[in-house]
Amino acid sequence: MMHDEVVSRLRHVLTEGEIPPGARIPERELCASFAISRTPLREALKVLAAEGLVVLLPNRGSRAAKLTRKDVKELFEVCEALEAAAGELACPRISDAQLREIAELQAGMVEHYRAQDLLSYYRCNRLIHEAIVRAADNAVLAGFYESIAARIRRARFITPMSPEHWALAIQEHEGILNALQRRDAGGLAHILRNHLRRKREEVVRAGFAEGE
Amino acid sequence: MMHDEVVSRLRHVLTEGEIPPGARIPERELCASFAISRTPLREALKVLAAEGLVVLLPNRGSRAAKLTRKDVKELFEVCEALEAAAGELACPRISDAQLREIAELQAGMVEHYRAQDLLSYYRCNRLIHEAIVRAADNAVLAGFYESIAARIRRARFITPMSPEHWALAIQEHEGILNALQRRDAGGLAHILRNHLRRKREEVVRAGFAEGE
DNA sequence: CGGATCATTTTTGCATTCAAAATGGTTCCA
DNA sequence: TGGAACCATTTTGAATGCAAAAATGATCCG
């Protein structure tokens, strides 16, 4: 198995998967489940530690990182800046096909909203934001965004939404699509910023924190 | 020696130091010079590869990354967004002591400009930008900024400046300090963005690229 | 003489090993 | 009985060993 594959599999285990924040990372077990030795696994652990997904305790192993309130605040602040930048860059660069893709995702998302299917809604939502970042056509930005998104995902896409916020979010997304179609970079950046800021407030209000 | 220390020593060797972009990274030699074995060195290499400073060629070792024109463009785009965000966040958060520090750096920078001492000028310049990021009090942002800055440093702080650009940069820095003092977040973000954009144009015009 | 081919050496990536540190459990004594 | 001290076990971090791949360079043939 290739190095990058180990990293992304481990990332998956930590973000989507079986190891909850704060839990000890069972080196031995993961080696067995990935069918590799400790050396490449430990290399991957160091990479994810640099990303902030893993904390290494000297001589005491590694644990899945827990998000503190401050982490959430910082991650949202940077996420705001990155998504706004992505929006601005995407406007002049996005292709018609990409626009169509986002419009379709948006339609699907509205459907899921109508059906009050939060999980599917969040999936569409996430895909839209990722599509905008992709449309910005900037690998560095995409890499940072992916790294932030991986850390913040639980806070961002799991926190339940109030009906009012949900309705507002839908409205904002209409605005996002509209600004993209009009290639209104400044407007899009502004909407994205507000969109994220509101989400952050909701998350903070929900008191999200995995530990200090 | 601790893991993080190996990473930062290696980063130093790659950015400030002896290994030019594109050059092969002599694993064996570095092990000897750091007095460690290959295992911890290779862990550090993977971390820096994830950061983009090192490219790993499967079965063919690692090399110091070269900046392509596209890399430079992308790095500047993200750097713009991050510095602007840092400025906005710094305005309400910066302490008087930090403001004084920046004012002093600025004064020193102007001195170096008068003396036409480009190297010292760049050093002050860099310290100012780093101080602003520090004043934003956001560890995630600071980490990303450091990572970007490490990669872009050669392009940003080595490209020679035209007399006109240099004079303009000094003026812009006055504006930066002024906006900080007035806590004008929006204004500061705007100036920082233009400042970086101009620098980027200069770098692009100088045709900076270490290879494709 | 130039270029292809194959043996030799070096390098790479990973598994294993080893010493040091932490953990857990048992014993011993107040 | 409670708790400190001690020892066995496990886990960690790093060095070493090993097989496979790549680089080197010596030889051979046109």
Side-chain angles (χ1 to χ4, degrees):
Chain A
M1 191 181 346
M2 185 118 163
H3 165 73
D4 285 355
E5 202 189 331
V6 178
V7 173
S8 60
R9 282 234 270 167
L10 183 56
R11 200 202 318 268
H12 184 82
V13 168
L14 289 168
T15 55
E16 319 285 328
E18 300 82 72
I19 299 177
R24 207 142 192 305
I25 294 173
E27 217 172 84
R28 194 158 269 296
E29 273 178 48
L30 285 173
C31 287
S33 100
F34 291 178
I36 55 175
S37 78
R38 285 177 58 220
T39 308
L41 183 77
R42 289 171 54 77
E43 287 172 354
L45 281 170
K46 308 272 178 176
V47 170
L48 294 184
E51 269 184 38
L53 269 177
V54 166
V55 273
L56 303 172
L57 303 107
N59 289 317
R60 308 187 54 202
S62 42
R63 312 186 84 92
K66 289 196 282 191
L67 289 182
T68 65
R69 268 175 246 289
K70 183 154 175 39
D71 289 331
V72 171
K73 178 178 152 238
E74 293 186 353
L75 288 165
F76 266 102
E77 280 174 359
V78 178
C79 200
E80 262 172 57
L82 291 181
E83 287 209 27
E88 280 186 63
L89 295 173
C91 275
R93 293 176 187 173
I94 195 166
S95 69
D96 290 346
Q98 285 175 313
L99 262 178
R100 268 199 306 280
E101 185 200 330
I102 292 177
E104 277 164 34
L105 284 166
Q106 172 98 351
M109 198 176 74
V110 171
E111 276 310 303
H112 298 309
Y113 169 64
R114 293 233 173 81
Q116 293 287 300
D117 178 352
L118 189 63
L119 225 73
S120 301
Y121 167 82
Y122 267 142
R123 203 173 42 75
C124 272
N125 189 316
R126 176 179 159 184
L127 288 172
I128 290 171
H129 286 275
E130 286 173 354
I132 293 172
V133 170
R134 216 171 320 115
D137 187 35
N138 181 317
V140 175
L141 175 52
F144 283 161
Y145 182 75
E146 194 190 330
S147 160
I148 290 245
R151 289 183 64 189
I152 217 177
R153 192 158 298 148
R154 275 186 308 271
R156 184 174 182 184
F157 291 131
I158 283 171
T159 301
M161 288 203 285
S162 69
E164 306 82 49
H165 181 99
W166 200 350
L168 186 56
I170 287 282
Q171 252 189 291
E172 285 172 336
H173 264 272
E174 296 290 347
I176 289 169
L177 180 58
N178 198 264
L180 262 173
Q181 283 164 336
R182 285 182 295 115
R183 318 263 171 175
D184 174 6
L188 178 55
H190 186 74
I191 299 173
L192 282 169
R193 232 177 255 283
N194 283 336
H195 186 61
L196 260 285
R197 194 160 303 157
R198 238 184 285 281
K199 177 44 118 177
R200 171 179 151 200
E201 275 160 20
E202 177 124 9
V203 169
V204 168
R205 195 161 39 246
F208 183 94
E210 294 169 336
E212 312 294 282
Chain B
M1 194 183 342
M2 186 123 160
H3 165 73
D4 286 353
E5 203 190 330
V6 179
V7 173
S8 60
R9 282 233 269 167
L10 183 55
R11 199 202 319 266
H12 184 83
V13 168
L14 288 167
T15 54
E16 320 285 331
E18 301 81 74
I19 300 177
R24 211 147 187 302
I25 294 174
E27 216 173 85
R28 195 157 269 296
E29 272 178 50
L30 286 173
C31 286
S33 101
F34 292 178
I36 55 175
S37 76
R38 286 177 57 219
T39 308
L41 184 77
R42 288 170 56 77
E43 286 172 355
L45 281 171
K46 307 274 179 176
V47 170
L48 294 183
E51 269 183 36
L53 270 177
V54 167
V55 274
L56 302 172
L57 304 108
N59 289 318
R60 308 189 52 202
S62 42
R63 311 186 85 92
K66 287 195 282 191
L67 289 181
T68 65
R69 268 176 246 289
K70 183 154 174 39
D71 288 330
V72 171
K73 179 178 152 238
E74 293 186 353
L75 288 165
F76 267 102
E77 281 173 359
V78 178
C79 199
E80 261 172 58
L82 290 181
E83 287 209 28
E88 280 186 64
L89 295 173
C91 275
R93 293 174 189 175
I94 195 166
S95 71
D96 291 345
Q98 285 175 313
L99 262 177
R100 268 198 305 280
E101 185 200 329
I102 291 176
E104 277 164 34
L105 284 168
Q106 172 98 352
M109 197 176 75
V110 171
E111 276 310 303
H112 297 311
Y113 168 63
R114 294 233 174 82
Q116 293 285 300
D117 178 352
L118 188 64
L119 226 73
S120 302
Y121 167 82
Y122 268 142
R123 203 173 42 76
C124 272
N125 189 317
R126 175 179 158 185
L127 288 171
I128 291 171
H129 286 274
E130 286 172 353
I132 294 172
V133 170
R134 215 169 324 115
D137 187 37
N138 181 316
V140 175
L141 175 52
F144 283 160
Y145 182 75
E146 196 191 330
S147 159
I148 288 245
R151 289 183 64 188
I152 216 176
R153 191 158 298 149
R154 276 187 306 270
R156 183 174 183 186
F157 291 132
I158 282 171
T159 301
M161 289 203 285
S162 69
E164 305 81 52
H165 181 99
W166 201 350
L168 186 56
I170 287 281
Q171 253 188 289
E172 285 172 337
H173 265 271
E174 295 291 347
I176 289 169
L177 180 58
N178 198 263
L180 262 173
Q181 283 165 336
R182 285 183 293 113
R183 319 264 169 173
D184 175 6
L188 178 56
H190 186 74
I191 299 173
L192 282 170
R193 233 177 255 283
N194 283 336
H195 186 61
L196 259 285
R197 194 160 304 155
R198 236 183 286 281
K199 175 48 114 177
R200 169 179 153 202
E201 276 160 19
E202 177 123 10
V203 169
V204 169
R205 196 161 40 245
F208 184 93
E210 294 168 338
E212 312 295 282

